[in-house]
Amino acid sequence: MISFQGDMSTKYSSLLINTFLYASKQLDDDLYRSSALSNLGQLCTVLKYSLSKHLVEILTALKSYLSIFESNEVRRASILVCELLCQSLDQTTWLTILGNELPAFYHLISQLYKNDRDEIVRLHAQLALEGLNRISREFLQPPVILEKKIRILS
């Protein structure tokens, strides 16, 4: 659905995010919830920088879905959204918006990677951890550009 909208998603971002979050809270159908979370993940990859005002709300919902007992489909979709967020957002977005939330989020994903019984959840947790580790490395060790000018004297 999101791929059809493309750049128009930014105009309706608040409406779409609220719709997908509301749909993910419906308790009667796990497939419906996981579909809403999957669409939310696709929307997050499209929005990137326009996501900042909703990011705390999205992560709070994802942490609750991953912390409490949910069906495998909902947990898989939740960790998929986490993975897509970790891969699509840059370090300034993570550190400026989620500076205080980042350690708890990292710990939750790390625990899922180490202790979860579902292989798909563990795979997505591993990919999300790799994304967070990349963000941490970029912050702690910024790239050094070595440049040397060579001039030929004639």
Side-chain angles (χ1 to χ4, degrees), residues 25-51:
K25 295 175 186 175
Q26 302 302 315
L27 297 176
D28 53 349
D29 190 8
D30 289 335
L31 189 59
Y32 182 74
R33 295 174 69 195
S34 61
S35 174
L37 287 168
S38 177
N39 283 325
L40 180 64
Q42 289 177 357
L43 181 65
C44 290
T45 58
V46 170
L47 292 179
K48 291 185 184 182
Y49 305 110
S50 307
L51 194 62

Side-chain angles (χ1 to χ4, degrees), residues 62-73:
L62 293 175
K63 284 193 293 187
S64 69
Y65 297 149
L66 292 170
S67 298
I68 58 175
F69 179 74
E70 292 284 346
S71 69
N72 282 339
E73 292 84 13

Side-chain angles (χ1 to χ4, degrees), residues 1-2 5 8-25 36-62 65 81 85 89:
M1 179 180 134
I2 300 304
Q5 288 186 347
M8 287 298 292
S9 299
T10 55
K11 181 177 180 181
Y12 301 107
S13 64
S14 294
L15 178 66
L16 289 170
I17 289 172
N18 289 331
T19 301
F20 293 144
L21 284 174
Y22 179 76
S24 70
K25 295 175 186 175
L37 287 168
S38 177
N39 283 325
L40 180 64
Q42 289 177 357
L43 181 65
C44 290
T45 58
V46 170
L47 292 179
K48 291 185 184 182
Y49 305 110
S50 307
L51 194 62
S52 58
K53 61 183 175 181
H54 299 285
L55 198 54
V56 174
E57 182 181 3
I58 291 170
L59 283 180
T60 303
L62 293 175
Y65 297 149
V81 176
L85 282 172
L89 296 179

Side-chain angles (χ1 to χ4, degrees), residues 87-103:
Q87 290 178 354
S88 64
L89 296 179
D90 63 345
Q91 74 175 12
T92 55
T93 306
W94 278 105
L95 297 175
T96 55
I97 297 171
L98 300 169
N100 298 334
E101 298 284 325
L102 196 55

Side-chain angles (χ1 to χ4, degrees), residues 75-86:
R75 291 171 53 79
R76 288 174 181 173
S78 298
I79 196 69
L80 173 67
V81 176
C82 293
E83 174 198 343
L84 292 173
L85 282 172
C86 291

